[in-house]
Amino acid sequence: MRLIIAANRAPYHIRKRDGQAKVERSPGGLVTALDPVMKKTKGIWVCSGTLQFEKHGLETPYDIEQIKLTPKENIHYYEGFCNRQIWPLFHYFLAKYKLEERDWEFYKQVNQKFANQIAEIVKKDDKIWIQDYHLMLVPQMLRELGVKNKIGFFLHIPFPNIENFRVIPRRKEILEGLMHCDVVGFHTESYKKHFLECVEHYLNDANIQDQSTIEYKDTKVKAISLPISIDFNMFDKTARSSRVIEKAFELRNTINTKVIGLGVDRLDYTKGIVEKLEGIEFFLDNNPEYIGKFTFIQIAVPTRINILEYKKMKKELDETVGRINGKFARDGWNPISYIYNSVNLKDLVAYYYCSDFILISALRDGLNLVAKEYVASRVNNDGMLILSEFTGAAEEFNTGYSVNPYDVRSISESIYRAFNNNEEEKEKVMKKLRDQVRENNIFKWVDDFLGEL
Ligand code: ADQ
């Protein structure tokens, strides 16, 4: 069996260092997870992009077929339909949803390009696995091109309830696009349930059996819930390396407060970063005895920087950090240490390792891999995962420390508990979480999905 993956982003990129170009694996769980099976089966990864591996004399471990997008496709397919329509709507941000009719034509056009490319390269025993909301029409388009292979699809973001889904004028076309898969996967039972409810409501000919299998016209689709995970051993091993431990101690010495809290997020309005900082402000306002004893490190990686909504968010975040630090700063101490950058794996794990708790305050999140990375990095079974109720991960974990990020009081109480909870209790919770992530790791996720397919 050979695997064909279709995803918006490439699994490898070119990195220039000291004037020399090198192939480097792109960060993220999905690529890490699929890498072994792609290498083993000599798979093909179809994605958008124009990276010139050959021109630089570089080889990738398996074939990457890139689809070149025109500037208009970038604007209307990627920035428009994907990130100004689907992304806000599927994350329940109705007010940020911007319907631009032209976007849909470009979404169809780019999905068709992907389908044509796959149809051209596919061989009889290949399995096709399509990733995420950028490519929801590809399954149907492949069938129309006569492709008979097994097709799987995984949605990495939430699938919204019917009240939100109904807002998209093209809701029926999207569902129909997915009806041509053999397996459609979601992170949680709730997302799967929402999907089945929408199918039942909008597709008259659909017949749902056992709350999982959909018969639609002459197709049969199985919907499954299977939360994605991380390479547990890689994070665990990295956290045990002397370089990381040294760096973590160095960080603690430099910061020099009793407690360190951490936030690690892509800079996205769905992640609730401003809400988190306002919760910290409320905590310090109401617990002044902790002023000077606590530092919160917020690491935010820039994304989608060409989209206005993201530019506005960056400005709001900068202002919030400045305002809160200005309010509480004293004797060289600031409550918030803000890093607006991508950090490498070892540094990231050192931050995970050195902090007493992580605060994940997403207002809505498909799953949230940071939660699992933090857990895998806590090799001494210490630390605390404070997790928003609105993440997919919250459906999987019982951390005992859940938080409602819309409520400053809830955030503040969770920080208070990080200072005051019993160490034994924390250890018990972390140990259980670590066992869970160790067992349900990313390699099992890939095996389970391909097993279903
Ligand atoms: P994301 O929205 O990107 O993923 P998440 O799952 O948290 O969210 O993954 C973020 C990744 O970026 C993590 O691997 C994290 O380590 C990394 N990262 C964040 N900040 C970083 C920084 N400053 N420097 C370096 N790395 C950083 C989407 C969905 C999620 C879903 C995943 C996987 O939105 O809900 O969990 O896909 O399906």
Side-chain angles (χ1 to χ4, degrees):
M1 187 272 301
R2 186 178 70 157
L3 191 58
I4 297 181
I5 297 285
N8 185 57
R9 285 180 56 201
Y12 283 84
H13 57 268
I14 299 169
R15 182 160 174 175
K16 288 192 182 138
R17 201 182 262 172
D18 306 330
Q20 255 208 328
K22 274 189 167 174
V23 167
E24 200 174 75
R25 198 166 71 192
S26 304
L30 185 71
V31 178
T32 313
L34 291 170
D35 226 41
V37 55
M38 291 298 280
K39 283 177 183 158
K40 203 165 116 196
T41 69
K42 300 231 173 312
I44 305 178
W45 189 294
V46 183
C47 53
S48 64
T50 51
L51 295 166
Q52 295 180 303
F53 294 109
E54 274 173 24
K55 191 183 150 201
H56 288 94
L58 298 171
E59 256 185 58
T60 50
Y62 41 85
D63 282 348
I64 299 176
E65 293 284 342
Q66 297 181 79
I67 292 166
K68 190 173 172 201
L69 301 187
T70 63
K72 271 195 156 179
E73 284 170 343
N74 250 319
I75 292 170
H76 292 288
Y77 148 79
Y78 182 69
E79 293 178 8
F81 198 78
C82 292
N83 289 323
R84 266 192 292 260
Q85 294 200 42
I86 298 288
W87 180 268
L89 201 63
F90 279 36
H91 287 88
Y92 297 81
F93 280 83
L94 257 180
K96 293 197 195 293
Y97 171 73
K98 299 245 168 19
L99 176 63
E100 154 98 64
E101 193 47 40
R102 262 184 315 172
D103 290 351
W104 172 251
E105 290 312 315
F106 285 92
Y107 185 71
K108 275 203 307 200
Q109 189 173 307
V110 172
N111 273 244
Q112 191 66 58
K113 280 186 170 180
F114 270 81
N116 294 347
Q117 182 71 33
I118 298 168
E120 207 179 296
I121 55 176
V122 71
K123 291 200 183 124
K124 193 167 154 275
D125 293 325
D126 292 348
K127 283 185 182 181
I128 302 166
W129 190 2
I130 297 157
Q131 308 292 329
D132 230 0
Y133 62 103
H134 312 88
L135 303 172
M136 292 188 285
L137 306 178
V138 173
Q140 180 174 15
M141 290 170 168
L142 283 172
R143 296 298 184 221
E144 285 163 3
L145 290 166
V147 173
K148 303 234 170 350
N149 302 57
K150 292 278 182 203
I151 302 177
F153 176 89
F154 193 85
L155 186 70
H156 291 266
I157 62 174
F159 195 92
N161 64 24
I162 196 161
E163 287 308 317
N164 276 269
F165 188 68
R166 68 165 16 126
V167 173
I168 312 178
R170 305 299 178 161
R171 58 213 178 184
K172 201 167 161 211
E173 284 96 322
I174 289 174
L175 293 174
E176 268 174 345
L178 294 172
M179 285 304 106
H180 299 265
C181 296
D182 296 278
V183 178
V184 176
F186 303 92
H187 288 305
T188 72
E189 277 297 318
S190 312
Y191 306 158
K192 179 182 132 186
K193 188 169 148 266
H194 293 157
F195 173 69
L196 293 176
E197 278 165 8
C198 291
V199 166
E200 191 165 29
H201 191 84
Y202 288 113
L203 302 180
N204 292 336
D205 297 327
N207 176 14
I208 301 173
Q209 286 156 2
D210 309 325
Q211 278 308 296
S212 72
T213 306
I214 310 159
E215 284 177 356
Y216 179 68
K217 298 182 178 169
D218 48 3
T219 67
K220 199 170 176 178
V221 193
K222 188 169 179 196
I224 60 168
S225 78
L226 192 64
I228 197 172
S229 193
I230 56 155
D231 183 349
F232 179 92
N233 287 335
M234 193 262 289
F235 278 92
D236 180 271
K237 199 172 144 209
T238 308
R240 292 175 198 276
S241 72
S242 49
R243 221 186 100 190
V244 166
I245 296 172
E246 271 165 32
K247 167 99 191 171
F249 276 101
E250 210 181 286
L251 281 167
R252 277 215 86 105
N253 282 338
T254 316
I255 293 163
N256 197 23
T257 47
K258 184 163 173 265
V259 170
I260 297 177
L262 178 69
V264 174
D265 305 271
R266 255 190 331 100
L267 211 164
D268 195 295
Y269 53 84
T270 58
K271 304 288 181 184
I273 309 175
V274 169
E275 286 75 2
K276 171 162 41 185
L277 300 184
E278 285 169 353
I280 293 169
E281 180 182 17
F282 186 90
F283 171 75
L284 290 173
D285 271 335
N286 290 281
N287 300 281
E289 67 276 23
Y290 291 102
I291 291 174
K293 298 202 178 99
F294 157 65
T295 304
F296 192 82
I297 307 171
Q298 176 62 51
I299 308 178
V301 63
T303 47
R304 304 178 195 167
I305 46 176
N306 295 326
I307 300 178
L308 182 67
E309 207 55 62
Y310 289 78
K311 286 186 188 149
K312 280 202 268 181
M313 209 217 129
K314 157 97 174 56
K315 190 163 173 273
E316 192 190 357
L317 185 56
D318 289 349
E319 285 168 5
T320 310
V321 172
R323 185 176 58 71
I324 298 174
N325 277 344
K327 184 170 170 183
F328 296 105
R330 59 196 59 178
D331 307 330
W333 170 82
N334 280 311
I336 296 158
S337 164
Y338 174 45
I339 301 165
Y340 174 66
N341 216 339
S342 177
V343 294
N344 66 43
L345 177 77
K346 286 209 165 90
D347 286 351
L348 182 66
V349 175
Y351 282 108
Y352 287 148
Y353 188 95
C354 83
S355 51
D356 299 288
F357 68 91
I358 192 160
L359 177 48
I360 293 168
S361 57
L363 303 171
R364 197 65 66 166
D365 210 339
L367 185 99
N368 194 290
L369 289 173
V370 169
K372 295 191 175 184
E373 294 170 1
Y374 180 73
V375 165
S377 306
R378 303 305 305 194
V379 292
N380 300 319
N381 297 316
D382 51 6
M384 232 174 117
L385 168 64
I386 303 175
L387 185 58
S388 157
E389 298 171 31
F390 304 105
T391 59
E395 216 168 292
E396 200 184 342
F397 289 150
N398 181 5
T399 67
Y401 313 112
S402 74
V403 70
N404 174 358
Y406 290 94
D407 177 11
V408 281
R409 198 174 292 276
S410 167
I411 296 182
S412 170
E413 276 165 14
S414 71
I415 300 172
Y416 186 85
R417 288 174 69 191
F419 278 97
N420 295 295
N421 259 34
N422 173 306
E423 290 303 320
E424 260 172 46
E425 175 61 32
K426 285 193 212 165
E427 192 179 323
K428 222 166 94 189
V429 174
M430 186 53 74
K431 207 161 177 293
K432 208 167 129 216
L433 291 175
R434 284 178 57 78
D435 288 345
Q436 237 175 309
V437 183
R438 187 185 291 113
E439 191 187 333
N440 296 313
N441 59 52
I442 186 73
F443 301 107
K444 183 167 182 295
W445 180 79
V446 172
D447 281 353
D448 287 353
F449 191 94
L450 293 178
E452 289 285 355
L453 198 58

